Amino acid sequence: MRCGNGIEARQVDELFINIDPIQAGGRLTADAMKAVIAYGDGYSVCDNCRKPNRLDYISKPPIAEFHKDVAAWLNMDTVRTVPGARRGFQAVAHTYVHKGDPVLLTSLSHYTEFLAIEETGGIAREIPVDADHKVTPEATATKIEEVKREFGRVPALAFIDHVDYQYGNMHDVKAIAKVAHGYDIPVLYNGAYTVGILPVDGKDLGVDFVVGSGHKSMAAPAPSGVLAVTAERAAEVFRTTTIVGDVTNRKFGIKEPEMMGCTLMGATLVGLMASFPHVKERVKHFDRELENNAIVMDALLAIEGTTCLSEYPRKHTMTRVDTTASFDTIAEAHRKRGFYFSSALGEKGITGLIPGATKIWKFNTYGTTKKQAMHLADAFIAVACENGLPLKK
Ligand SMILES: *Cc1c(COP(=O)(O)O)cnc(C)c1O
């Protein structure tokens, strides 16, 4: 099948078990696929936009209700949809960070958090992680004190990733937020790897902002995401426009500058909405996902020389392993070099690993069935055995 203009239909998740770390949680549900087709046209959600004209007020399709549902689900007060988690970071940073302001993030923070700070003229200050690649409340307090000494004031904002993208480790956001709030620093919870994957309760975590990624973790098309805030912060981040045209005297009502008025206007939003009931259900069964991850980890760790670089036992399905002393030892002499590994897995119906990577790599078992997890486990063991790698006794 072709889409025209040289575009072939993508058949990755149809033909393979895809364990790409960033793709597993974004795979569309059948309902989202229908929504993409039905709402693919430009501005298609605007058919029934009535006064006051703003995306989050539209009731057909039930966009207004969706906003309320997401806020309740995350236990926050106000929600807006955004074109990716990064645009949520940007709106918050732009509201609180001014030129020269220090901003707190961590040494495992995602590049999009850095860029959001850069755009405002802020200065990044990273909380160092401990030997286990974890961000601790103690290190947070120490870093804030350091920033105070350096800048004469505390950071304007803190970005804390609940589960980081490098190790998939889970950091104690609740305790970290408590420390930051002790200094009156607003806290943004980066839920790119958690919102839509496991239960998230913003009030319990004690954070000011919860950001989620639709295309990474909510089975939604890209670019999509959510920004949920407390009532106190809503008036700041979602302040309405005050600008006036000098010739026409025009004003723009309740449009919000940080949202550029309206955000997701078609397939992205309706896709996110269509998957939402499935997402709400799936977060309740994260334990099953961890069980499937454990099936695969047990197999990998049974191969002599393989180590898990992420915290272990796993608290998230996105995992970083080191196979320098196992799969990588085959690469040099193999006629396909390092590509033998992804190629052998491909033959067994597995995709999503960086081709050629045999040393340190990440995978995500999220969304696999138990049967698929067992197939993954068998496949890793089989590739090891085919290449003469020893298994642990
Ligand atoms: C993927 C990721 C992002 C970016 O998410 P988008 O929705 O693509 O903007 C931000 N932070 C972390 C930790 C991520 O893993």
Side-chain angles (χ1 to χ4, degrees):
M1 192 178 106
R2 282 174 210 287
C3 311
N5 200 20
I7 304 161
E8 270 185 56
R10 174 177 180 263
Q11 296 189 77
V12 173
D13 294 85
E14 290 82 353
L15 302 179
F16 296 91
I17 300 173
N18 184 4
I19 53 173
D20 187 313
I22 65 173
Q23 291 181 341
R27 197 180 292 125
L28 296 190
T29 59
D31 282 330
M33 290 179 192
K34 289 187 217 167
V36 166
I37 293 170
Y39 281 85
D41 286 345
Y43 294 122
S44 52
V45 300
C46 308
D47 295 337
N48 297 293
C49 181
R50 305 282 178 265
K51 280 203 162 46
N53 298 95
R54 205 173 68 199
L55 184 69
D56 55 297
Y57 279 88
I58 294 171
S59 60
K60 197 175 168 237
I63 297 170
E65 198 183 316
F66 173 71
H67 280 72
K68 290 199 183 76
D69 290 350
V70 174
W73 175 65
L74 293 172
N75 198 14
M76 295 293 276
D77 299 310
T78 308
V79 161
R80 296 288 181 267
T81 56
V82 286
R86 64 195 69 198
R87 295 290 175 176
F89 307 154
Q90 188 180 40
V92 175
H94 192 242
T95 301
Y96 296 97
V97 183
H98 301 109
K99 196 170 166 52
D101 282 349
V103 181
L104 204 61
L105 29 59
T106 84
S107 40
L108 297 175
S109 283
H110 196 256
Y111 79 93
T112 53
E113 295 169 309
F114 281 87
L115 299 196
I117 297 168
E118 183 169 9
E119 263 204 327
T120 64
I123 296 162
R125 285 295 175 264
E126 301 168 275
I127 307 166
V129 289
D130 66 12
D132 299 326
H133 307 289
K134 296 284 278 269
V135 183
T136 64
E138 294 75 28
T140 305
T142 306
K143 191 70 189 196
I144 295 171
E145 288 297 336
E146 267 176 45
V147 169
K148 261 174 81 178
R149 278 197 298 278
E150 185 186 354
F151 291 83
R153 59 191 194 278
V154 299
L157 177 67
F159 286 94
I160 307 295
D161 303 10
H162 192 191
V163 168
D164 69 82
Y165 77 97
Q166 297 192 38
Y167 292 89
N169 286 352
M170 194 170 281
H171 306 278
D172 189 353
V173 177
K174 191 171 176 173
I176 295 166
K178 204 164 166 202
V179 171
H181 281 162
Y183 292 88
D184 284 328
I185 303 166
V187 176
L188 182 148
Y189 169 101
N190 180 351
Y193 268 113
T194 56
V195 172
I197 299 293
L198 48 89
V200 172
D201 182 329
K203 294 274 165 69
D204 179 58
L205 291 161
V207 295
D208 300 84
F209 317 96
V210 171
V211 174
S213 173
H215 50 265
K216 185 176 269 152
S217 296
M218 300 177 79
S224 63
V226 294
L227 167 59
V229 313
T230 58
E232 180 198 353
R233 299 298 177 185
E236 297 164 354
V237 182
F238 304 137
R239 65 197 176 281
T240 52
T241 170
T242 55
I243 202 163
V244 187
D246 70 322
V247 172
T248 59
N249 254 327
R250 280 179 303 155
K251 293 182 190 149
F252 305 94
I254 60 161
K255 292 289 198 300
E256 296 161 346
E258 292 298 353
M259 297 294 109
M260 286 304 285
C262 297
T263 52
L264 312 182
M265 302 148 189
T268 44
L269 175 56
V270 188
L272 181 69
M273 287 167 54
S275 277
F276 187 53
H278 304 282
V279 161
K280 269 204 292 199
E281 186 54 33
R282 78 184 193 180
V283 299
K284 296 178 195 158
H285 306 293
F286 189 59
D287 52 337
R288 287 185 211 155
E289 301 291 339
L290 290 179
E291 281 165 26
N292 289 343
N293 178 269
I295 291 172
V296 179
M297 279 313 294
D298 286 350
L300 280 168
L301 295 177
I303 301 159
E304 198 76 64
T306 300
T307 58
C308 179
L309 298 177
S310 304
E311 64 184 338
Y312 190 81
R314 301 295 302 126
K315 292 180 184 162
H316 196 276
T317 54
M318 203 277 282
T319 301
R320 182 168 172 150
V321 291
D322 186 344
T323 54
T324 310
S326 56
F327 290 115
D328 187 58
T329 60
I330 305 302
E332 205 180 328
H334 201 285
R335 101 194 126 75
K336 292 187 187 171
R337 296 280 164 159
F339 293 92
Y340 88 91
F341 187 49
S342 53
S343 154
L345 291 169
E347 282 162 25
K348 298 179 195 307
I350 297 160
T351 192
L353 299 185
I354 297 171
T358 48
K359 292 185 167 80
I360 292 173
W361 46 279
K362 298 189 286 189
F363 68 98
N364 193 351
T365 54
Y366 192 80
T368 52
T369 61
K370 185 168 180 190
K371 203 172 157 197
Q372 288 173 327
M374 283 160 59
H375 177 77
L376 283 165
D378 291 346
F380 284 123
I381 296 283
V383 177
C385 293
E386 282 159 19
N387 290 282
L389 291 174
L391 302 183
K392 281 182 191 148
K393 297 281 153 4

